[in-house]
Amino acid sequence: MTHTARITYDNDQIDGRTRRLLEAPVLPLLLQMAAPNVLIMVAQASTGLIETWWVAKLGTAALAGMALVFPAVMLMSMISAGAMGGGIASAVAQALGRARRHEADSLVLHAVVINIVLGAAFSLIFLLFGKPLYRLLGGEGAELEAALIYSNVVFAGNIFIWLMNGLASVIRGTGNMLYPAIVTCAGVIFLVPFSPLLIFGFSPIPAMGIAGGGVALVIFYVAGTAAMAWYILAEKCAVRLRWARLRGNAMASIMRVGAISAFTSLQTNVTIAGATALVASVGGVGAVAGFGTGVRLDYLLVPLIFGLGSPLVVMVGTNIGAGQLQRARTIAFTGGAVAFALTEAIGLVAATWPEQWLRLFSGEPDMIETGSAYLRIVGPTYGFFGLGLALYSVAQGAGRPFWPFAGGVLRITIALGGGWIALRVTGSLHGLFVALGLALVAYGLTMLIAVRSGAWFR
C-alpha cells in the first residue's frame, strides 16, 4: 500500500462501501458487484428484444424498419449509460476515493445538466433528419415508413433515456449497483405485457402498431428517471444533489472521459449502421432483417459486458484516486479475462445453433439464411469484442479514453473498408462478415496491448 493510500484510509470521510473497493479481494468483489449490474444491463437490452419480438408479428417490413432504427436507439443507450455514464461514474468514484465528498456531491447537478442538453440535442437531430438518415441506410417503402413511425416516438422521449442512465451512473459511481438493477428489472417486467397491449390494442385501448412499442419504451424511461431521481433526492445515496453554480472543472472531469468515450460508442454504431447499408446494397428486405436480427446479439453483448464494465470503472477509478495503481492494473486484467470467457462462450453457442436465436423473431427463409451466415462467421470472435469492451471500461476508470477511440477507428477501417472491398471482389455477404469478425479481433487485441504496456497506471 502506498503512503498516499494509507493517508486516504485514515480519513473519516471514507465510508464502508468505498473502503471495500480499496481492500476486498478483486475477483469476488468484481463478481459480487457485477451480478446485479449484469442483470440491469441485460434487462435493459431486453426491452429492445421484447419489442422486436412483438413487432415481428406485424410483418417483415416492420421488422426491417425496426432494424434500421435499432442502431440509433442503442447509440443513445450506449452513449448515455456507457460513455457519458462511464465519465460520470469515474468522476464520482475518483472523488470519493480521494475522500472529497463535497466534490462528489457537486457532480450530480453537473451530470443532470449534461444529460438534459445532450438528450435534447440528439432528439432534434433524429426528429428533423430521421428520414434521410434511414434512407441512407437503405430504407425504402414500407420499411422506411415503419422506421420513421417508431423513431419519431422514441426520440420524442429521448431525454428520459439520458436522464435515467445519467442518474443511474451517479448511483453506480458510489459502488451501489443493486438499486439501478432493481429499478430496471421492475421496468422490464412492466414492459412484457404493456408493450403488446399498446402494439395490438385491447378494448378500450386502440391498436397503435409499431408506434405502440415506442410509446411503451418511453414510458419505461420516464418511470425509471423518476425512481432514480427519488433515490438521490431522498438522500438514500452516498452522494447528494447540491444546487450550486456550475463549475468548469466539474464539467471537465465528466466530459474528459465521457466525450471521447462517446466517440467510441458512436464508432460501434457507425460500424453496424455501415454494415447494414452494405448488406442492403446487395440483398433484399429479408437479408437486412436477417443481418439486423443476427447483429442484435452483438448489441446484447454490449450491455452484458457493460454490466461487468461498470464495476470496473468504479473499482479502477477509486483505486487510482487512492493511489493504488498496481491493484488497479490487477482489476483490469481480471475483468478482461472474465469478459473474454463470457462472450466467447456466447459466441460459440450462437455460431453452433444460430437458427435457435433467429427463429425467435421470424421464420422467413432469406432472413434465416443471412442471419445464420453472420453468426457462424462472427460469433467465434465475440470473445475479443468482450475483452475490448471490458478494457474500454478500465480506460474510463483510469481517465485514459484515447486507446478505446484508436481501437474503434481500427475496427471501423477493417469492418467497413475491408467489408466493402470483400463485397466488390466476391459479391458475397460472407466476405463482409469475415471482415466484421476480423475487426472485432483487432479491436480486442489493440486494447489488450494498451493495458499490458502499463501506461494507464503510471
Side-chain angles (χ1 to χ4, degrees), residues 22 25 123 133 136 241 268 301 312 317 319 328 340-341 343 353 361 433:
L22 298 169
S123 289
L133 285 173
L136 185 64
L241 175 64
T268 297
L301 293 182
L312 288 174
N319 280 275
F340 180 89
T343 50
W353 299 286
F361 305 96
F433 297 159

PDB file of all heavy atoms in Angstrom, residues 22 25 123 133 136 241 268 301 312 317 319 328 340-341 343 353 361 433:
ATOM      1  N   LEU A  22     -11.393  -0.532  -2.016  1.00  0.00           N
ATOM      2  CA  LEU A  22      -9.948  -0.374  -1.873  1.00  0.00           C
ATOM      3  C   LEU A  22      -9.264  -1.588  -1.258  1.00  0.00           C
ATOM      4  O   LEU A  22      -8.047  -1.750  -1.409  1.00  0.00           O
ATOM      5  CB  LEU A  22      -9.639   0.859  -1.010  1.00  0.00           C
ATOM      6  CG  LEU A  22     -10.103   2.212  -1.564  1.00  0.00           C
ATOM      7  CD1 LEU A  22      -9.974   3.294  -0.509  1.00  0.00           C
ATOM      8  CD2 LEU A  22      -9.300   2.583  -2.802  1.00  0.00           C
ATOM      9  N   PRO A  25     -10.791  -8.616  -1.784  1.00  0.00           N
ATOM     10  CA  PRO A  25     -10.212  -9.426  -2.862  1.00  0.00           C
ATOM     11  C   PRO A  25     -10.876  -9.108  -4.205  1.00  0.00           C
ATOM     12  O   PRO A  25     -12.109  -8.986  -4.283  1.00  0.00           O
ATOM     13  CB  PRO A  25     -10.507 -10.867  -2.414  1.00  0.00           C
ATOM     14  CG  PRO A  25     -10.598 -10.777  -0.926  1.00  0.00           C
ATOM     15  CD  PRO A  25     -11.227  -9.442  -0.636  1.00  0.00           C
ATOM     16  N   SER A 123     -32.313  14.346 -29.806  1.00  0.00           N
ATOM     17  CA  SER A 123     -33.722  14.300 -30.186  1.00  0.00           C
ATOM     18  C   SER A 123     -33.967  15.149 -31.427  1.00  0.00           C
ATOM     19  O   SER A 123     -34.630  14.715 -32.384  1.00  0.00           O
ATOM     20  CB  SER A 123     -34.610  14.798 -29.046  1.00  0.00           C
ATOM     21  OG  SER A 123     -34.652  13.874 -27.986  1.00  0.00           O
ATOM     22  N   LEU A 133     -31.566   9.983 -42.963  1.00  0.00           N
ATOM     23  CA  LEU A 133     -30.613   9.087 -42.310  1.00  0.00           C
ATOM     24  C   LEU A 133     -30.985   7.623 -42.551  1.00  0.00           C
ATOM     25  O   LEU A 133     -30.123   6.801 -42.907  1.00  0.00           O
ATOM     26  CB  LEU A 133     -30.565   9.371 -40.806  1.00  0.00           C
ATOM     27  CG  LEU A 133     -29.815  10.631 -40.372  1.00  0.00           C
ATOM     28  CD1 LEU A 133     -30.003  10.884 -38.872  1.00  0.00           C
ATOM     29  CD2 LEU A 133     -28.332  10.513 -40.704  1.00  0.00           C
ATOM     30  N   LEU A 136     -30.486   6.640 -46.105  1.00  0.00           N
ATOM     31  CA  LEU A 136     -29.065   6.424 -46.363  1.00  0.00           C
ATOM     32  C   LEU A 136     -28.646   5.008 -45.978  1.00  0.00           C
ATOM     33  O   LEU A 136     -27.743   4.422 -46.587  1.00  0.00           O
ATOM     34  CB  LEU A 136     -28.230   7.449 -45.584  1.00  0.00           C
ATOM     35  CG  LEU A 136     -26.718   7.456 -45.818  1.00  0.00           C
ATOM     36  CD1 LEU A 136     -26.412   7.840 -47.268  1.00  0.00           C
ATOM     37  CD2 LEU A 136     -26.033   8.422 -44.858  1.00  0.00           C
ATOM     38  N   LEU A 241     -27.670  15.709  -4.233  1.00  0.00           N
ATOM     39  CA  LEU A 241     -27.799  16.800  -5.192  1.00  0.00           C
ATOM     40  C   LEU A 241     -27.643  18.119  -4.461  1.00  0.00           C
ATOM     41  O   LEU A 241     -28.387  18.416  -3.521  1.00  0.00           O
ATOM     42  CB  LEU A 241     -29.165  16.741  -5.887  1.00  0.00           C
ATOM     43  CG  LEU A 241     -29.480  17.891  -6.843  1.00  0.00           C
ATOM     44  CD1 LEU A 241     -28.519  17.890  -8.031  1.00  0.00           C
ATOM     45  CD2 LEU A 241     -30.927  17.806  -7.335  1.00  0.00           C
ATOM     46  N   THR A 268     -18.958   2.192 -32.715  1.00  0.00           N
ATOM     47  CA  THR A 268     -19.630   0.889 -32.737  1.00  0.00           C
ATOM     48  C   THR A 268     -20.893   0.952 -33.576  1.00  0.00           C
ATOM     49  O   THR A 268     -21.164   0.070 -34.402  1.00  0.00           O
ATOM     50  CB  THR A 268     -19.973   0.436 -31.311  1.00  0.00           C
ATOM     51  OG1 THR A 268     -18.761   0.259 -30.575  1.00  0.00           O
ATOM     52  CG2 THR A 268     -20.751  -0.869 -31.305  1.00  0.00           C
ATOM     53  N   LEU A 301     -24.518  -8.189 -26.262  1.00  0.00           N
ATOM     54  CA  LEU A 301     -23.226  -8.332 -25.592  1.00  0.00           C
ATOM     55  C   LEU A 301     -22.760  -7.007 -24.990  1.00  0.00           C
ATOM     56  O   LEU A 301     -22.097  -6.995 -23.952  1.00  0.00           O
ATOM     57  CB  LEU A 301     -22.166  -8.826 -26.585  1.00  0.00           C
ATOM     58  CG  LEU A 301     -22.325 -10.240 -27.138  1.00  0.00           C
ATOM     59  CD1 LEU A 301     -21.160 -10.558 -28.072  1.00  0.00           C
ATOM     60  CD2 LEU A 301     -22.401 -11.263 -26.024  1.00  0.00           C
ATOM     61  N   LEU A 312     -15.944  -2.206 -13.056  1.00  0.00           N
ATOM     62  CA  LEU A 312     -14.539  -1.954 -13.388  1.00  0.00           C
ATOM     63  C   LEU A 312     -14.231  -0.460 -13.373  1.00  0.00           C
ATOM     64  O   LEU A 312     -13.179  -0.036 -12.890  1.00  0.00           O
ATOM     65  CB  LEU A 312     -14.210  -2.540 -14.770  1.00  0.00           C
ATOM     66  CG  LEU A 312     -14.119  -4.070 -14.866  1.00  0.00           C
ATOM     67  CD1 LEU A 312     -13.933  -4.503 -16.311  1.00  0.00           C
ATOM     68  CD2 LEU A 312     -12.988  -4.596 -13.997  1.00  0.00           C
ATOM     69  N   GLY A 317     -11.299   3.431 -10.909  1.00  0.00           N
ATOM     70  CA  GLY A 317     -11.288   4.857 -10.581  1.00  0.00           C
ATOM     71  C   GLY A 317     -11.032   5.119  -9.117  1.00  0.00           C
ATOM     72  O   GLY A 317     -10.238   5.992  -8.749  1.00  0.00           O
ATOM     73  N   ASN A 319      -9.496   3.150  -6.905  1.00  0.00           N
ATOM     74  CA  ASN A 319      -8.133   2.766  -6.526  1.00  0.00           C
ATOM     75  C   ASN A 319      -7.090   3.714  -7.093  1.00  0.00           C
ATOM     76  O   ASN A 319      -6.083   3.993  -6.422  1.00  0.00           O
ATOM     77  CB  ASN A 319      -7.860   1.325  -6.966  1.00  0.00           C
ATOM     78  CG  ASN A 319      -8.449   0.317  -6.003  1.00  0.00           C
ATOM     79  OD1 ASN A 319      -7.829  -0.032  -4.998  1.00  0.00           O
ATOM     80  ND2 ASN A 319      -9.662  -0.142  -6.276  1.00  0.00           N
ATOM     81  N   ALA A 328      -5.168  -1.452  -9.264  1.00  0.00           N
ATOM     82  CA  ALA A 328      -5.996  -1.061 -10.407  1.00  0.00           C
ATOM     83  C   ALA A 328      -5.650  -1.895 -11.638  1.00  0.00           C
ATOM     84  O   ALA A 328      -6.534  -2.317 -12.390  1.00  0.00           O
ATOM     85  CB  ALA A 328      -5.808   0.424 -10.707  1.00  0.00           C
ATOM     86  N   PHE A 340     -13.780 -11.919 -21.620  1.00  0.00           N
ATOM     87  CA  PHE A 340     -13.440 -12.754 -22.773  1.00  0.00           C
ATOM     88  C   PHE A 340     -14.106 -14.122 -22.660  1.00  0.00           C
ATOM     89  O   PHE A 340     -14.711 -14.608 -23.628  1.00  0.00           O
ATOM     90  CB  PHE A 340     -11.926 -12.928 -22.873  1.00  0.00           C
ATOM     91  CG  PHE A 340     -11.499 -13.774 -24.052  1.00  0.00           C
ATOM     92  CD1 PHE A 340     -11.256 -13.198 -25.291  1.00  0.00           C
ATOM     93  CD2 PHE A 340     -11.356 -15.147 -23.917  1.00  0.00           C
ATOM     94  CE1 PHE A 340     -10.885 -13.978 -26.377  1.00  0.00           C
ATOM     95  CE2 PHE A 340     -10.985 -15.934 -25.004  1.00  0.00           C
ATOM     96  CZ  PHE A 340     -10.744 -15.344 -26.231  1.00  0.00           C
ATOM     97  N   ALA A 341     -13.997 -14.743 -21.499  1.00  0.00           N
ATOM     98  CA  ALA A 341     -14.563 -16.082 -21.312  1.00  0.00           C
ATOM     99  C   ALA A 341     -16.080 -16.081 -21.520  1.00  0.00           C
ATOM    100  O   ALA A 341     -16.639 -16.966 -22.174  1.00  0.00           O
ATOM    101  CB  ALA A 341     -14.202 -16.606 -19.925  1.00  0.00           C
ATOM    102  N   THR A 343     -18.128 -13.826 -23.177  1.00  0.00           N
ATOM    103  CA  THR A 343     -18.608 -13.508 -24.519  1.00  0.00           C
ATOM    104  C   THR A 343     -18.186 -14.563 -25.547  1.00  0.00           C
ATOM    105  O   THR A 343     -18.911 -14.815 -26.512  1.00  0.00           O
ATOM    106  CB  THR A 343     -18.125 -12.121 -24.966  1.00  0.00           C
ATOM    107  OG1 THR A 343     -16.703 -12.020 -24.745  1.00  0.00           O
ATOM    108  CG2 THR A 343     -18.814 -11.021 -24.191  1.00  0.00           C
ATOM    109  N   TRP A 353     -25.563 -22.950 -33.061  1.00  0.00           N
ATOM    110  CA  TRP A 353     -27.021 -23.053 -33.223  1.00  0.00           C
ATOM    111  C   TRP A 353     -27.629 -21.687 -33.532  1.00  0.00           C
ATOM    112  O   TRP A 353     -28.417 -21.147 -32.746  1.00  0.00           O
ATOM    113  CB  TRP A 353     -27.653 -23.611 -31.947  1.00  0.00           C
ATOM    114  CG  TRP A 353     -27.171 -24.987 -31.595  1.00  0.00           C
ATOM    115  CD1 TRP A 353     -27.502 -26.156 -32.215  1.00  0.00           C
ATOM    116  CD2 TRP A 353     -26.273 -25.335 -30.519  1.00  0.00           C
ATOM    117  NE1 TRP A 353     -26.873 -27.212 -31.599  1.00  0.00           N
ATOM    118  CE2 TRP A 353     -26.121 -26.747 -30.557  1.00  0.00           C
ATOM    119  CE3 TRP A 353     -25.603 -24.613 -29.538  1.00  0.00           C
ATOM    120  CZ2 TRP A 353     -25.308 -27.431 -29.664  1.00  0.00           C
ATOM    121  CZ3 TRP A 353     -24.792 -25.281 -28.642  1.00  0.00           C
ATOM    122  CH2 TRP A 353     -24.641 -26.673 -28.713  1.00  0.00           C
ATOM    123  N   PHE A 361     -37.593 -14.548 -33.740  1.00  0.00           N
ATOM    124  CA  PHE A 361     -38.120 -13.317 -34.320  1.00  0.00           C
ATOM    125  C   PHE A 361     -38.859 -13.551 -35.641  1.00  0.00           C
ATOM    126  O   PHE A 361     -39.835 -12.863 -35.924  1.00  0.00           O
ATOM    127  CB  PHE A 361     -36.978 -12.319 -34.534  1.00  0.00           C
ATOM    128  CG  PHE A 361     -36.202 -12.038 -33.285  1.00  0.00           C
ATOM    129  CD1 PHE A 361     -35.024 -12.721 -33.017  1.00  0.00           C
ATOM    130  CD2 PHE A 361     -36.660 -11.129 -32.354  1.00  0.00           C
ATOM    131  CE1 PHE A 361     -34.309 -12.477 -31.857  1.00  0.00           C
ATOM    132  CE2 PHE A 361     -35.953 -10.876 -31.188  1.00  0.00           C
ATOM    133  CZ  PHE A 361     -34.780 -11.554 -30.939  1.00  0.00           C
ATOM    134  N   PHE A 433     -18.878 -10.445 -43.765  1.00  0.00           N
ATOM    135  CA  PHE A 433     -18.953 -10.967 -42.406  1.00  0.00           C
ATOM    136  C   PHE A 433     -17.560 -11.358 -41.876  1.00  0.00           C
ATOM    137  O   PHE A 433     -17.275 -11.196 -40.688  1.00  0.00           O
ATOM    138  CB  PHE A 433     -19.900 -12.160 -42.350  1.00  0.00           C
ATOM    139  CG  PHE A 433     -21.327 -11.818 -42.703  1.00  0.00           C
ATOM    140  CD1 PHE A 433     -22.217 -12.798 -43.127  1.00  0.00           C
ATOM    141  CD2 PHE A 433     -21.788 -10.508 -42.621  1.00  0.00           C
ATOM    142  CE1 PHE A 433     -23.528 -12.482 -43.453  1.00  0.00           C
ATOM    143  CE2 PHE A 433     -23.095 -10.176 -42.948  1.00  0.00           C
ATOM    144  CZ  PHE A 433     -23.970 -11.169 -43.373  1.00  0.00           C
TER     145      PHE A 433
END
